[in-house]
Amino acid sequence: MKLFTRDYNFLLACTFSAAMTHQLFLSIFPIYITDLGGSHTLTGAMITGQVIAGAVTRLVCGPLQDRFGCRKLLIAGAFLFAFNIITYMFTTNLTVIFVLRVFNGVSQGIYFGSAGTIVADIAAPDRLVDGVGFFSISGTLAAAFSPAMGLYLLQNHGSRAMFGFAASAAFISTVFPLLINKKYGSVDKCKPQVASKGSPNKPGNSLTATSFIELSILAPAAVSFFIVFANSSATNFLASLGVERALDGIGLFFTFNSVAMIIIRLIAGKLNRKFGASTMILSGCICLIVANLLIVIAHSTLPLVIAGILTGLGMGVVSPLLNSIVFQIARPERRGVANSNFLLVNDIGQGLGGSLWGTISQYKGYAATYFLSAVCVFIAGLTHKLFLFPKIKKQGIQGNE
């Protein structure tokens, strides 16, 4: 069936625009805080605060998506996200920035959580892996040049220019959700099947503890947690490592990372159908382990470029596959909760990683940081083999029939 429909294209466009801002903040924000006199520990605390706020928001928004549809929450999140970003232009107070970063977690939780769920509603069931993969590519394209652009603006034109660029991209992202078909604001049309009678997510029923938790996706969520936890070292502190080691080509890591991620995601669906999800996930883990070990010894541009390529291949395979497995495991009327739980676990991994790696890098150095990141990816692969692989095989997940 056709994948690139009108609504799917609008979803890709809004995700790309918002990801421009998101990726810039991930990579450049630690440098900006350091320039203002903040420490790595403070940066890690800000990341943790943002992620906790995002985690709580995702937890609440999941059931709301299933009860009322995804489109309304996507639109609300887009406008909150845009207004949140522009406020950074008017302060250099670290306390105020801390508060803004925490609220950033709220706006991102609404926006990206809703976008990540609606992709499963728009994409045809037999193209779900491809749909999730191309959806991820829209964010990856932004990561290809947004961090480099942000760093250039910060170093040559100041923080106001950098935040102006970020705010412009965020406001552009508010347009496209308005163009997505209104049927995705209707639960009955948004989901392949309507929530059954007595379902905790059916409109009119009260929310209970079970409304917010989907235990069926625990295995893929656990694998994703360790992957994201490890990868947060690269997304949050690699730019700082480049400054410390006087590596002028640090931006090439992000560029080659993005290019590799885009290429592998273009063919991830075909590879999944040929080799199976389990083989692909383990291969991605191996790429990430090698990439982190290369960063440990990197004192020139070449190892970083190779690490960037391997990181792109690893994350480009693992992330969309795990996300599509979540959608295939969960019941259709529980997709919002399942996806919010999955993204919540990723947020926790990102937040804990930001805090832990910030502290380790400050007191033990970057070599210890990236070696331990490699260990975390190994744990992810082991978790997959012991817990997720049996579930994939039992349920006949796509690519493993």
Side-chain angles (χ1 to χ4, degrees):
M1 293 183 67
K2 184 178 179 181
L3 176 63
F4 292 97
T5 61
R6 172 183 177 275
D7 294 312
Y8 186 74
N9 291 336
F10 284 143
L11 181 63
L12 295 182
C14 74
T15 303
F16 171 79
S17 301
M20 288 280 290
T21 299
H22 177 63
Q23 293 293 338
L24 183 152
F25 269 63
L26 277 180
S27 56
I28 307 304
F29 200 73
I31 296 177
Y32 176 63
I33 296 302
T34 301
D35 289 345
L36 292 179
S39 65
H40 289 319
T41 302
L42 176 61
T43 302
M46 287 186 178
I47 294 169
T48 301
Q50 175 207 356
V51 170
I52 291 174
V56 174
T57 303
R58 290 189 195 279
L59 196 61
V60 173
C61 284
L64 296 180
Q65 292 170 23
D66 291 328
R67 287 163 69 91
F68 305 112
C70 310
R71 183 174 175 272
K72 291 180 181 178
L73 288 173
L74 181 64
I75 292 171
F79 279 94
L80 286 174
F81 181 64
F83 281 110
N84 184 199
I85 296 303
I86 198 173
T87 53
Y88 283 98
M89 298 178 65
F90 303 104
T91 183
T92 55
N93 184 286
L94 289 173
T95 301
V96 176
I97 292 174
F98 197 118
V99 174
L100 291 176
R101 196 64 173 143
V102 171
F103 185 72
N104 220 173
V106 176
S107 58
Q108 286 181 356
I110 299 172
Y111 185 78
F112 289 108
S114 300
T117 301
I118 203 171
V119 68
D121 302 324
I122 295 176
D126 61 338
R127 300 296 302 276
L128 184 56
V129 175
D130 298 299
V132 173
F134 281 99
F135 171 77
S136 301
I137 286 176
S138 63
T140 305
L141 284 171
F145 62 89
S146 183
M149 176 64 74
L151 185 60
Y152 169 79
L153 291 173
L154 178 63
Q155 293 178 339
N156 294 279
H157 299 283
S159 60
R160 184 172 288 270
M162 180 188 73
F163 288 125
F165 170 76
S168 298
F171 271 103
I172 291 173
S173 72
T174 63
V175 176
F176 297 106
L178 298 171
L179 302 176
I180 293 176
N181 196 306
K182 290 184 179 180
K183 73 179 182 179
Y184 294 107
S186 167
V187 176
D188 291 349
K189 294 181 180 179
C190 181
K191 302 300 174 190
Q193 67 184 62
V194 183
S196 57
K197 184 178 180 180
S199 169
N201 292 339
K202 186 177 180 181
N205 291 342
S206 60
L207 292 174
T208 63
T210 57
S211 302
F212 299 95
I213 300 173
E214 181 59 41
L215 294 177
S216 67
I217 56 98
L218 184 59
V223 175
S224 186
F225 169 82
F226 288 110
I227 294 290
V228 172
F229 183 82
N231 194 58
S232 66
S233 60
T235 54
N236 289 312
F237 296 104
L238 192 63
S240 298
L241 175 145
V243 173
E244 181 182 279
R245 295 184 181 178
L247 297 172
D248 295 332
I250 194 67
L252 291 175
F253 172 93
F254 298 104
T255 301
F256 279 91
N257 169 67
S258 300
V259 171
M261 194 177 296
I262 290 169
I263 292 173
I264 196 65
R265 282 178 175 170
L266 288 173
I267 59 175
K270 293 182 179 179
L271 292 174
N272 177 55
R273 288 185 285 273
K274 182 175 182 179
F275 298 107
S278 182
T279 299
M280 296 299 295
I281 290 172
L282 288 177
S283 299
C285 288
I286 292 172
C287 288
L288 291 171
I289 290 172
V290 175
N292 278 285
L293 294 178
L294 281 173
I295 295 174
V296 171
I297 63 173
H299 288 278
S300 63
T301 302
L302 182 59
L304 283 177
V305 169
I306 297 174
I309 293 171
L310 291 174
T311 301
L313 293 175
M315 294 302 295
V317 165
V318 173
S319 295
L321 274 178
L322 289 174
N323 205 173
S324 65
I325 287 171
V326 165
F327 287 130
Q328 292 178 74
I329 290 175
R331 300 193 310 274
E333 70 271 20
R334 294 280 287 173
R335 279 180 176 171
V337 175
N339 193 52
S340 71
N341 285 184
F342 180 74
L343 296 177
L344 168 61
V345 170
N346 289 344
D347 283 344
I348 294 173
Q350 182 76 29
L352 292 179
S355 181
L356 178 64
W357 302 135
T359 301
I360 291 176
S361 65
Q362 183 167 345
Y363 293 103
K364 297 296 182 180
Y366 290 109
T369 298
Y370 289 97
F371 176 78
L372 291 174
S373 294
V375 173
C376 287
V377 179
F378 175 79
I379 295 173
L382 188 62
T383 302
H384 162 72
K385 191 65 177 178
L386 294 176
F387 301 104
L388 180 56
F389 175 70
K391 196 175 189 71
I392 290 175
K393 190 173 182 180
K394 181 180 178 180
Q395 296 193 212
I397 299 299
Q398 184 175 355
N400 294 274
E401 292 85 345

